[in-house]
Amino acid sequence: EDQVTQSPEALRLQEGESSSLNCSYTVSGLRGLFWYRQDPGKGPEFLFTLYSAGEEKEKERLKATLTKKESFLHITAPKPEDSATYLCAVPNTGNQFYFGTGTSLTVIP
Amino acid sequence: DAGVIQSPRHEVTEMGQEVTLRCKPISGHNSLFWYRQTMMRGLELLIYFNNNVPIDDSGMPEDRFSAKMPNASFSTLKIQPSEPRDSAVYFCASSPGGYTEAFFGQGTRLTVV
């Protein structure tokens, strides 16, 4: 069965303290791994798509990487405005996206 | 494009009443998804349409839930009769199709009392 697991569930960082979020997956044939950011009261906002092991994508303080079994979202020198829930998702063969339960990130000034 | 538009943003209804949630996907997108989000279960896929045709509704909780997509620019999710355990945030998302990113609406927060 296809599964997506994220860790940790919650993460508190001091402003400027770099860290990484993990998304591990078990799917039969990866068709892409998607990272989203969700702010309270809003819908998930698309960040990155990674399609093959070794691929990396960057946006401001965020960098997403992908291996054959997991993806990392690295946050470098985070700011309070980076506080949000970060979700990862993978599509199955039927193009249905299955989401992990997310990592709630809090960055303290 | 204004993005995926959902209405209403908030809905409070009494148990047993019919509830209809509405979604306008991004123009040109071929795939449409309905999700439900709760603290306990996170984002759950309810139903997926491709080119207005329901492809997989295995996530629909029970017969009280139904979804339609009469044309490429409109979809509804209906709950009849509603129950308190249906309280959640319901999201609609659309994508161009294939294995590409989905774009979400702002969601409808449903409270059934």
Side-chain angles (χ1 to χ4, degrees), chain A residues 31-32 34 36 38 41-46 49 51 87 91-101, chain B residues 9 31 33 35 37 41-43 45 48 55-56 91 95 97-106 109:
Chain A
R31 289 159 288 279
F34 299 78
Y36 286 81
Q38 186 174 24
K42 296 189 175 182
E45 176 187 348
F46 170 72
T49 307
Y51 284 106
L87 300 160
N92 66 5
T93 53
N95 197 33
Q96 294 126 25
F97 285 74
Y98 289 94
F99 281 80
T101 52
Chain B
R9 289 295 311 277
S31 298
F33 309 84
Y35 286 88
Q37 187 173 43
R41 301 174 67 91
L43 266 171
L45 178 64
Y48 158 52
I55 302 300
D56 186 351
F91 287 104
S95 80
Y99 303 115
T100 57
E101 61 270 18
F103 295 87
F104 283 74
Q106 292 297 298
R109 180 174 295 277

Side-chain angles (χ1 to χ4, degrees), chain A:
Chain A
E1 180 180 317
D2 296 346
Q3 279 196 325
V4 180
T5 304
Q6 290 189 248
S7 63
E9 287 188 15
L11 182 63
R12 288 172 64 89
L13 299 173
Q14 290 292 133
E15 184 172 0
E17 179 187 2
S18 302
S19 187
S20 297
L21 314 181
N22 178 265
C23 172
S24 62
Y25 59 89
T26 53
V27 294
S28 52
L30 184 67
R31 289 159 288 279
L33 186 140
F34 299 78
W35 281 99
Y36 286 81
R37 168 190 172 129
Q38 186 174 24
D39 292 297
K42 296 189 175 182
E45 176 187 348
F46 170 72
L47 291 173
F48 303 110
T49 307
L50 302 166
Y51 284 106
S52 56
E55 189 175 358
E56 299 181 352
K57 293 274 180 73
E58 286 189 64
K59 180 179 181 180
E60 296 181 356
R61 295 174 293 281
L62 300 177
K63 179 180 177 180
T65 62
L66 182 66
T67 72
K68 289 186 178 180
K69 293 185 177 182
E70 58 191 348
S71 177
F72 292 93
L73 185 64
H74 307 278
I75 303 176
T76 302
K79 298 182 177 182
E81 53 262 42
D82 295 322
S83 297
T85 295
Y86 291 86
L87 300 160
C88 69
V90 294
N92 66 5
T93 53
N95 197 33
Q96 294 126 25
F97 285 74
Y98 289 94
F99 281 80
T101 52
T103 294
S104 176
L105 173 66
T106 302
V107 181
I108 304 162

Side-chain angles (χ1 to χ4, degrees), chain B:
Chain B
D1 200 316
V4 176
I5 299 172
Q6 292 186 246
S7 64
R9 289 295 311 277
H10 303 275
E11 176 82 37
V12 180
T13 191
E14 291 185 348
M15 182 173 62
Q17 296 298 305
E18 177 180 294
V19 175
T20 300
L21 311 182
R22 297 173 175 78
C23 174
K24 176 178 169 53
I26 293 172
S27 177
H29 282 190
N30 296 325
S31 298
L32 184 137
F33 309 84
W34 281 100
Y35 286 88
R36 177 172 67 177
Q37 187 173 43
T38 61
M39 288 293 292
M40 291 296 293
R41 301 174 67 91
L43 266 171
E44 299 175 278
L45 178 64
L46 300 178
I47 188 168
Y48 158 52
F49 290 87
N50 191 48
N51 292 322
N52 312 337
V53 176
I55 302 300
D56 186 351
D57 64 355
S58 59
M60 297 286 259
E62 48 198 272
D63 292 344
R64 297 184 297 106
F65 285 69
S66 62
K68 294 183 179 180
M69 192 165 186
N71 57 62
S73 59
F74 184 65
S75 177
T76 60
L77 178 68
K78 185 176 293 186
I79 308 172
Q80 166 63 21
S82 58
E83 296 183 3
R85 59 192 168 119
D86 301 330
S87 297
V89 181
Y90 291 80
F91 287 104
C92 175
S94 70
S95 80
Y99 303 115
T100 57
E101 61 270 18
F103 295 87
F104 283 74
Q106 292 297 298
T108 295
R109 180 174 295 277
L110 173 65
T111 303
V112 183
V113 298

